[in-house]
Amino acid sequence: MLTTICTSAAQVIEFGYVVLFASAFPIGSVLTLFTNLLEMWSDFFKLVHVHRRPESVRASSIGVWSQLLSNMVWLSVLTNVFLFGFTTDQIFKVFPSLTPATPIDPNSDPSSPEAAAAPKAIAMVFLVEHVLLLVLLVLQNLIPPVPEDVETELRRRQRRLLLLGP
């Protein structure tokens, strides 16, 4: 049981690194894919050649991990948009109308046109963040927590159990 919790915790931490910092290290998801494939292969080898098959334990859900993963996804929108908007100049490449005519000098006059572009860029970052959070909310409400075919199968099994009786 403890090894299952440790394995799940490691996978959730790995998921967190990938989604929370995807804009800072985009190739991280590909590297994670390869490391997970390597881990699957080593687990397969251990199950076939070294260890006995572990006992299965029924569970109704993945428990608290589900809420933790959901919270990470919501937080990843914030971290990635803010990393994108505040640590790079990509916001000016995506939205060229925000680009100042000359580079912004921190010692320049606050009333200059160059300094006027900074609040627009900040507003655009917050607008993009809010739009992405709205899209995430819509998707979360459109996608059912249990697929329809799974619900159908569960109802079919429940009816069969009721017909057979105790």
Side-chain angles (χ1 to χ4, degrees), residues 19-50:
V19 298
L20 290 172
F21 304 108
S23 62
F25 189 56
I27 199 158
S29 58
V30 176
L31 294 174
T32 299
L33 174 68
F34 287 129
T35 60
N36 284 339
L37 289 173
L38 183 66
E39 187 176 351
M40 279 178 29
W41 180 82
S42 70
D43 289 346
F44 170 77
F45 181 82
K46 285 189 290 187
L47 285 172
V48 171
H49 298 291
V50 180

Side-chain angles (χ1 to χ4, degrees), residues 111-131:
S111 61
S112 68
E114 296 82 26
K120 291 179 187 174
I122 292 171
M124 186 56 69
V125 167
F126 280 98
L127 177 70
V128 168
E129 175 253 340
H130 277 67
V131 167

Side-chain angles (χ1 to χ4, degrees), residues 107-152:
N107 300 323
S108 67
D109 180 25
S111 61
S112 68
E114 296 82 26
K120 291 179 187 174
I122 292 171
M124 186 56 69
V125 167
F126 280 98
L127 177 70
V128 168
E129 175 253 340
H130 277 67
V131 167
L132 288 176
L133 287 175
L134 181 66
V135 167
L136 187 59
L137 183 65
V138 167
L139 285 175
Q140 191 175 29
N141 288 325
L142 284 179
I143 299 172
V146 179
E148 189 177 324
D149 56 336
V150 172
E151 284 182 354
T152 304

